[in-house]
Amino acid sequence: MTDNARLLSDLALRRFPGNDGSVWTEPLIPQAEVEHFLATASATLVQAELNEILLRAIRFRLDSAACSLEISFISLYAALESILTFFRRQDEFEILGAIEFGELERDLRKWLRQQPSLAAAPAKRGLIYEKIRELNRFPFSSVFKTFCAQYALDLSDLWPLVGVHAEWPLLEIRHRLVHGDPFEVRPVAALACAREHLSWTVERMLLCVLGWPVERSSVSSQSLRSRKEHQSWPDERAKFA
């Protein structure tokens, strides 16, 4: 078995490396369909020019099971960002072309130099200049929504990834963790529930990219209905408020 095939098999069977070197298994794909899944996913990887990005996403997802709660959440988010990086590379996610944006950038720099509050503050202008190129990048939320639309991915039953900050989408929790915000209230049970929903989001996204129907997995809406975390997320999210 090749390394890629082994990694796909670990994903299908959810073979997670344990802290003590052991392996814990909870299948993502029904045992009877694992071989079909491996054939489908392997064919997708062969066709994908950027398959190393997808393989990295799978590794992040598997490794997240052997981490502390907060590191696990960050690892899962790294997996999600890797999937979206793969998606971005399939198309040109720029608002303006290089020539058009170059012209806009020159005009913006000229305009900034003329602003009274910045005219005599080159250091402050320099800080703003460093941010200008970000204006030509699609917002994360737009790329994510485009991904879901292209793959017809339904996540309406899960804790929302993006949304209003005050409503604590998964993205907001990630930002707080990564940037060292201590959270005035960080209930462990709520964070654990959020982590589960992030893992299900990541796995659904991986299945879509690998060409496997989410409905034929253990992260389908129907399969998750018996999970307490699947039903209790509104109450858990309210604990962050």
Side-chain angles (χ1 to χ4, degrees), residues 35-169:
E35 291 302 320
H36 187 188
F37 167 78
L38 294 179
T40 300
S42 296
T44 300
L45 286 177
V46 169
Q47 296 172 10
E49 296 180 2
L50 304 170
N51 58 21
E52 183 55 38
I53 299 176
L54 291 182
L55 294 172
R56 184 166 66 244
I58 295 172
R59 293 188 192 99
F60 278 131
R61 194 282 167 262
L62 294 174
D63 291 344
S64 69
C67 305
S68 65
L69 179 57
E70 294 183 1
I71 299 302
S72 176
F73 194 98
I74 294 171
S75 181
L76 284 167
Y77 204 91
L80 188 148
E81 289 191 319
S82 294
I83 298 169
L84 289 185
T85 295
F86 171 83
F87 180 65
R88 283 190 184 98
R89 301 282 177 87
Q90 309 306 306
D91 202 349
E92 193 63 45
F93 278 91
E94 290 185 343
I95 299 171
L96 296 175
I99 295 177
E100 293 174 304
F101 189 76
E103 295 174 351
L104 176 63
E105 183 175 359
R106 285 192 296 272
D107 290 342
L108 284 173
R109 286 173 177 265
K110 180 180 179 180
W111 181 81
L112 288 168
R113 286 194 298 271
Q114 295 172 348
Q115 298 308 300
S117 60
L118 297 172
K124 290 182 179 180
R125 288 203 311 272
L127 293 174
I128 296 175
Y129 290 162
E130 291 182 14
K131 287 286 190 178
I132 287 179
R133 290 194 174 273
E134 294 183 16
L135 298 175
N136 203 33
R137 298 173 186 163
F138 274 67
F140 175 89
S141 60
S142 294
V143 178
F144 175 70
K145 290 174 183 177
T146 302
F147 177 96
C148 292
Q150 180 164 317
Y151 286 101
L153 175 58
D154 183 8
L155 299 171
S156 61
D157 60 312
L158 301 182
W159 191 317
L161 179 72
V162 296
V164 179
H165 297 326
E167 295 180 356
W168 288 93

Side-chain angles (χ1 to χ4, degrees), residues 217-236:
S217 75
S218 62
V219 291
S220 68
S221 179
Q222 181 175 1
S223 297
L224 293 174
R225 285 174 185 168
S226 61
R227 297 287 299 270
K228 177 183 176 183
E229 300 90 340
H230 184 255
Q231 305 299 324
S232 66
W233 71 263
D235 294 332
E236 297 296 340

